[in-house]
Amino acid sequence: MANSVNISIEAPIENQIQEITYDGQEIYQAPLSMSENLARLAQKIDFSKSDDEFCNVKKEGETSSDPKPDEDNKDAGYQSNQWPWESVRNKLRNALTEVCVLADVLNIAKEKRYMVLDPVQPEQVDNRPMVQVYGRKKALGAAAAVLLAGVERLRASENMRINRNMPDFHIDLLRLRQNWRLKKVSNTIVGDLSYRTAGSKFSQTGVFEVTKAPEEQMMQAMSLNAAGPAPSALRVTVPPELQGVAFISVLCQKEQEDVVTATLSSSALNCPGTLPGDGAELHWQQKLEAAQNVLFCKELFARLAAEAVQLDASIPHMVVGNQIMATVLPGIQLLIGLCHNNGQNNTNTNPEGVKSDGAAGKSDHDHVLEHSLHQLLRAVHYANTHHPFPHPATGPLGPSKRRCLAGPMAADRYELLDMSKEQSLLEQIIQQAQHFFMRRRSEYVLDTIAKEVKDPLIVSHWNALNSPTQSCVKINIMAYGYDAVCRTSLVVHVGEKTLKCICRDGKVRHLSYELQELRDLIYCQIYQHQMTAVQAVGRCMGWQLLASSAHLGSGPVEPLGNASSCLLASPNGDRMIAIRCEPSVGIQVFIAQSPRKDFFSSELVQDKKWENLGGAFKEIKLEKMEGKNFLNKMELLMACLSSPS
Amino acid sequence: MHRNLPQNKEALLKSYTTRLKEDIKSMLENFEEIIKLAKGERGESESQLNRMTQIEQDTFEMQVRAANIVRAGESLMKLVSDIKQYLILNDFPSVNEAITQNSKLFRTKQQECDQKLMSLRDDIAADLYDLEDEYFTSIYK
């Protein structure tokens, strides 16, 4: 153990350090004496924490005999009063008092000399059970009555709906939902009747509110018309600016006189919504449709008004209040007015429309222009939502079909510029109105000519296939009974401001909107027809056409066209007929014959053979001849002249 | 089936479920309380009140609880109505079906009308041709 190390072992500190002096010396507390230690431990015992009587009794026994210092210590811990064992003494004294009292009581009970202990009757609990039973019965009865009343109320409302055929709110709501857009905003049901989803870009909203109709009103309505359709359980509230009935009146005015009155949705005039105060009873479907119509009319008018301001026409369009004025043809104006009758104040915003309605009555209503306006706006809506393919699936924009084709077709700048032009609604409706007038005028001219000219019949057939800005009429000129021999036909295309005539010979003539031009053309055609027809009749009769000229240079100058003539010879050549036709004069017929009857040999012409030369032409008084018409007369004349005299 | 419902829709549907549960729970609890009151299980031991007062109180409590049951029932009716409304307003498949059906109906109607109008136009055009012929060849004009 050479390298052993000395280990100093020190006992652990058993005593607590009381103080450490500055030189590091520790001052220990003196260890507790045995009695102090006992007092400290006894202090920790809690005598009150005892759960059974026995323990208590035992503790009492202990306290009575020995544990004076314990109690003392404990009390000394809690209350360091003047004397450490005072509380213990107090408790012991109390215990003594109680024990004395107990002993006295026991003595008294035992002795029975002065006092007797009697058992006390407990208070009667169930003295009156029936009262309780009755009370509970009553309470249950009252509760049952409340429940029954509630059930009765539910059942009554259900019965009322079933028995009296009351309309169900939810079924009505379902029907409404199937036809209109609805959504719930907080506690109200809000619908939208605008044409947004159909492609409209009008800024005004068409929001309406759906509520439940009050039951009393439904009952009232049901009692009023028991036989009629059941009233709806829905109440639809439309914003005031969309209430009532609106329509767009389209008027074409000539100077100040009305030519045509077309009212947009004039059928809506008969709608019961126009009657004030009746709006409440209106079915929601009709009410919403009327409101939608109002919205549509407003959009249409707003668009037309904006276009009227933007367009720079030669004669500027005017927008005054609720009216747009545009010039269709010289002297003819197109008036488009928005009439909105919103039920409350029965004032029509378009006094002109009212006046014309009152004056002209309903017979003049023409629905064509109103319908066209409707169609045009709907086409715009359609174009807003339907873009030609291909277009990006996510974007609403795409090139138009024509622009798609522009690349492959190598369109030049002008064509592309042309594509970018779009006709506005107003322009289109003006074109339609122009066409309408052109058609009316052409009809009028053709009819009057047919009335004026009796001899060749002028038959015009209007084509059933036409477009709003183009129609077509075929005119046949022929004579009665000779329609197989000769007929002249020509086709007139009626456009917006011009007429295009395609004649029999293939010539195309463009006419302006002036009526006189068409009139002149038809007259020329009539006389041309007469000349060709006479030649055809002559050919049928075996006569020879010697000469014909459509444009004679002789005679007075015609105001329209030129005079024409032809010369026919009889089959054996002894008679000749000359016909001259001047549009301003009419038809003149001359005959000559050879050998001439009035040939007398003169000194100059002595030889007899010269009588075969034919004599002077003599005019025939056509009107005195027999025959139904000119060709018939000519036929008779030819027949007469063909016979050997 | 999980669908990506918006937050507020989800919350609304949850609120419907909680309303249903609460109402039914309220009915049940109130009913149980009434039964307990009727049995007299409660308040016997610590009853400090006069017996008649106790009976009156029980009567009143039963009435209130019965009224609570009725209220819960009506609240359930309201819930049914709300759910119906929600279904009607948000049942897009059925709305789409209705729209498809409607559009089909209107398309067939349109076709019918077009056909009728076409045949009418053809008839009228043919008749008009004859009438025009007749009119213009007659002497009465």
Side-chain angles (χ1 to χ4, degrees):
Chain A
M1 293 294 224
N3 49 355
S4 61
V5 177
N6 292 329
I7 300 168
S8 60
I9 297 173
E10 203 177 332
I13 305 169
E14 282 173 347
N15 302 323
Q16 282 188 316
I17 298 167
Q18 192 184 23
E19 191 186 3
I20 300 174
T21 54
Y22 291 118
D23 55 355
Q25 197 185 355
E26 294 170 341
I27 301 170
Y28 301 110
Q29 272 182 344
L32 290 173
S33 68
M34 280 303 268
S35 68
E36 274 171 347
N37 202 16
L38 176 68
R40 192 172 62 91
L41 287 174
Q43 214 172 22
K44 287 178 183 171
I45 298 169
D46 189 3
F47 289 100
S48 65
K49 212 176 92 183
S50 58
D51 39 11
D52 57 6
E53 296 296 312
F54 176 70
C55 199
N56 272 351
V57 167
K58 208 170 89 180
K59 210 180 281 173
E60 253 176 8
E62 277 172 7
T63 46
S64 63
S65 61
D66 186 37
K68 248 183 187 176
D70 291 6
E71 293 271 329
D72 190 12
N73 274 348
K74 181 180 141 202
D75 279 4
Y78 289 127
Q79 44 178 22
S80 56
N81 40 20
Q82 62 273 37
W83 187 55
W85 298 99
E86 187 180 339
S87 74
V88 174
R89 195 210 44 198
N90 288 345
K91 288 208 168 171
L92 280 177
R93 189 180 283 165
N94 286 345
L96 179 67
T97 315
E98 282 175 7
V99 168
C100 289
V101 170
L102 182 65
D104 287 350
V105 168
L106 285 175
N107 273 336
I108 290 168
K110 230 167 125 189
E111 292 287 317
K112 291 186 183 172
R113 240 184 315 170
Y114 309 107
M115 223 170 151
V116 177
L117 290 178
D118 267 348
V120 179
Q121 283 282 329
E123 199 192 347
Q124 181 113 28
V125 177
D126 290 325
N127 50 355
R128 288 188 294 171
M130 282 318 280
V131 171
Q132 210 164 10
V133 168
Y134 279 131
R136 283 192 184 142
K137 199 176 166 188
K138 195 179 136 209
L140 281 175
V146 171
L147 282 177
L148 281 177
V151 168
E152 198 52 44
R153 204 161 63 236
L154 284 182
R155 189 175 289 155
S157 73
E158 199 65 27
N159 272 356
M160 190 171 68
R161 197 169 298 138
I162 293 165
N163 291 348
R164 303 196 190 160
N165 222 352
M166 279 292 253
D168 187 11
F169 173 73
H170 289 105
I171 288 187
D172 267 352
L173 188 68
L174 184 64
R175 291 210 192 103
L176 185 72
R177 179 72 184 97
Q178 283 172 351
N179 288 301
W180 300 89
R181 297 175 61 215
L182 294 178
K183 64 178 175 180
K184 188 151 187 178
V185 177
S186 68
N187 268 337
T188 50
I189 303 173
V190 169
D192 186 13
L193 51 78
S194 71
Y195 281 100
R196 294 264 168 81
T197 48
S200 165
K201 287 174 182 167
F202 192 44
S203 58
Q204 191 173 342
T205 56
V207 175
F208 63 92
E209 196 188 327
V210 181
T211 47
K212 203 168 174 176
E215 286 196 348
E216 313 88 65
Q217 287 196 8
M218 281 205 297
M219 298 296 293
Q220 213 175 3
M222 279 179 74
S223 59
L224 277 177
N225 53 347
S232 170
L234 282 183
R235 172 67 45 85
V236 170
T237 316
V238 171
E241 64 265 22
L242 294 181
Q243 274 170 5
V245 173
F247 58 95
I248 283 184
S249 76
V250 184
L251 287 134
C252 292
Q253 274 190 336
K254 192 179 185 179
E255 310 293 307
Q256 282 307 309
E257 168 202 5
D258 295 349
V259 176
V260 150
T261 311
T263 12
L264 184 67
S265 64
S266 59
S267 61
L269 279 172
N270 307 326
C271 180
T274 47
L275 302 172
D278 212 17
E281 273 79 47
L282 212 61
H283 194 254
W284 47 262
Q285 181 71 17
Q286 292 159 348
K287 205 169 171 179
L288 290 178
E289 277 172 7
Q292 202 172 32
N293 186 40
V294 172
L295 190 66
F296 189 79
C297 289
K298 283 196 168 183
E299 180 181 358
L300 185 55
F301 188 82
R303 198 182 162 102
L304 287 174
E307 284 170 359
V309 174
Q310 278 172 4
L311 284 179
D312 42 348
S314 55
I315 302 169
H317 309 303
M318 288 199 293
V319 183
V320 183
N322 271 0
Q323 214 171 24
I324 301 171
M325 265 200 250
T327 307
V328 177
L329 291 171
I332 293 171
Q333 282 180 328
L334 181 72
L335 290 180
I336 300 173
L338 173 68
C339 304
H340 185 196
N341 175 11
N342 53 6
Q344 289 106 17
N345 47 350
N346 212 348
T347 54
N348 215 318
T349 45
N350 183 8
E352 301 263 341
V354 173
K355 223 193 297 171
S356 68
D357 275 0
K362 307 249 175 201
S363 59
D364 274 347
H365 282 303
D366 185 358
H367 298 273
V368 178
L369 286 181
E370 60 146 283
H371 182 72
S372 299
L373 275 174
H374 257 205
Q375 263 187 330
L376 288 173
L377 188 56
R378 298 226 186 256
V380 168
H381 286 176
Y382 185 85
N384 281 342
T385 47
H386 294 75
H387 297 283
F389 287 102
H391 64 76
T394 50
L397 283 175
S400 72
K401 196 166 190 173
R402 284 193 303 168
R403 189 160 282 185
C404 287
L405 287 174
M409 302 295 279
D412 58 13
R413 182 168 173 270
Y414 293 103
E415 283 177 58
L416 282 171
L417 276 180
D418 208 36
M419 277 174 206
S420 66
K421 277 183 205 156
E422 269 187 11
Q423 270 196 318
S424 62
L425 290 189
L426 191 64
E427 281 175 311
Q428 292 180 58
I429 199 69
I430 286 175
Q431 282 175 357
Q432 293 193 9
Q434 283 169 343
H435 171 71
F436 174 75
F437 272 96
M438 288 304 288
R439 209 175 57 228
R440 285 283 290 257
R441 287 177 167 190
S442 320
E443 276 172 19
Y444 176 74
V445 166
L446 290 175
D447 283 357
T448 41
I449 290 178
K451 268 185 222 170
E452 282 169 11
V453 180
K454 290 272 157 91
D455 186 358
L457 295 170
I458 297 157
V459 180
S460 49
H461 291 296
W462 286 89
N463 204 333
L465 290 171
N466 49 23
S467 80
T469 53
Q470 198 170 39
S471 55
C472 177
V473 58
K474 187 183 178 194
I475 302 164
N476 279 329
I477 304 170
M478 61 192 184
Y480 182 74
Y482 294 86
D483 43 353
V485 177
C486 179
R487 73 161 72 197
T488 304
S489 46
L490 64 151
V491 174
V492 179
H493 289 279
V494 183
E496 292 139 23
K497 270 181 137 172
T498 54
L499 297 176
K500 190 168 96 174
C501 294
I502 303 165
C503 300
R504 190 194 185 193
D505 48 6
K507 279 181 190 158
V508 178
R509 289 181 177 82
H510 292 278
L511 309 178
S512 78
Y513 57 84
E514 287 294 337
L515 291 176
Q516 194 60 38
E517 294 180 18
L518 179 65
R519 206 180 164 79
D520 293 349
L521 181 83
I522 303 277
Y523 268 102
C524 286
Q525 290 292 318
I526 288 170
Y527 288 111
Q528 239 174 35
H529 165 80
Q530 295 290 49
M531 292 309 293
T532 47
V534 136
Q535 291 168 22
V537 169
R539 259 198 307 280
C540 291
M541 303 290 292
W543 284 56
Q544 268 190 321
L545 178 68
L546 296 181
S548 86
S549 165
H551 304 287
L552 272 187
S554 66
V557 178
E558 287 290 322
L560 56 113
N562 289 321
S564 55
S565 77
C566 72
L567 195 62
L568 296 163
S570 65
N572 53 7
D574 57 344
R575 309 287 163 88
M576 279 196 288
I577 297 176
I579 301 148
R580 179 188 168 93
C581 178
E582 292 171 47
S584 59
V585 178
I587 301 172
Q588 292 166 297
V589 181
F590 304 89
I591 55 165
Q593 65 174 27
S594 63
R596 50 198 288 182
K597 297 236 177 82
D598 54 347
F599 184 79
F600 303 107
S601 56
S602 64
E603 285 167 16
L604 277 172
V605 186
Q606 292 170 345
D607 205 345
K608 189 75 171 164
K609 68 177 179 186
W610 295 112
E611 72 173 1
N612 291 323
L613 262 180
F617 282 91
K618 282 181 265 181
E619 189 177 354
I620 281 176
K621 287 180 180 166
L622 268 178
E623 59 272 18
K624 298 228 167 150
M625 275 188 70
E626 273 191 46
K628 279 181 193 161
N629 49 30
F630 170 69
L631 288 186
N632 199 2
K633 286 173 184 175
M634 291 310 292
E635 190 188 352
L636 290 177
L637 181 67
M638 286 178 195
C640 172
L641 294 178
S642 305
S643 60
S645 51
Chain B
M1 185 166 63
H2 178 75
R3 276 177 295 180
N4 288 328
L5 288 171
Q7 197 88 39
N8 52 350
K9 290 268 168 67
E10 196 106 39
L12 190 66
L13 290 179
K14 265 185 193 153
S15 86
Y16 285 153
T17 322
T18 41
R19 270 169 69 185
L20 173 72
K21 280 186 181 154
E22 271 174 16
D23 284 337
I24 287 178
K25 205 171 91 186
S26 148
M27 277 180 145
L28 187 67
E29 275 178 2
N30 281 299
F31 186 68
E32 278 175 353
E33 288 299 319
I34 287 178
I35 298 296
K36 274 185 197 162
L37 281 175
K39 272 166 81 179
E41 278 180 1
R42 230 186 45 179
E44 284 289 316
S45 53
E46 72 265 26
S47 157
Q48 307 260 321
L49 294 169
N50 188 0
R51 198 135 301 273
M52 292 313 285
T53 320
Q54 181 68 42
I55 288 171
E56 274 306 310
Q57 192 196 342
D58 286 356
T59 312
F60 187 61
E61 192 177 335
M62 275 195 196
Q63 282 186 20
V64 170
R65 292 200 181 274
N68 271 344
I69 292 177
V70 171
R71 187 206 58 78
E74 290 192 351
S75 166
L76 279 180
M77 294 295 283
K78 175 87 172 66
L79 178 68
V80 168
S81 151
D82 279 355
I83 289 175
K84 271 187 186 174
Q85 207 177 71
Y86 180 84
L87 177 69
I88 288 169
L89 292 183
N90 291 296
D91 189 9
F92 287 99
S94 90
V95 168
N96 283 343
E97 199 180 316
I99 289 173
T100 319
Q101 210 171 342
N102 267 354
S103 80
K104 208 185 274 175
L105 179 76
F106 289 133
R107 264 175 218 285
T108 44
K109 225 174 223 179
Q110 185 195 7
Q111 271 183 354
E112 269 174 36
C113 286
D114 278 353
Q115 274 176 359
K116 278 180 186 163
L117 279 175
M118 277 300 186
S119 64
L120 190 67
R121 191 209 55 194
D122 289 346
D123 289 352
I124 286 181
D127 289 345
L128 179 70
Y129 191 90
D130 292 344
L131 286 171
E132 277 173 342
D133 237 356
E134 203 60 39
Y135 171 75
F136 285 113
T137 51
S138 76
I139 53 166
Y140 305 104
K141 287 176 191 168

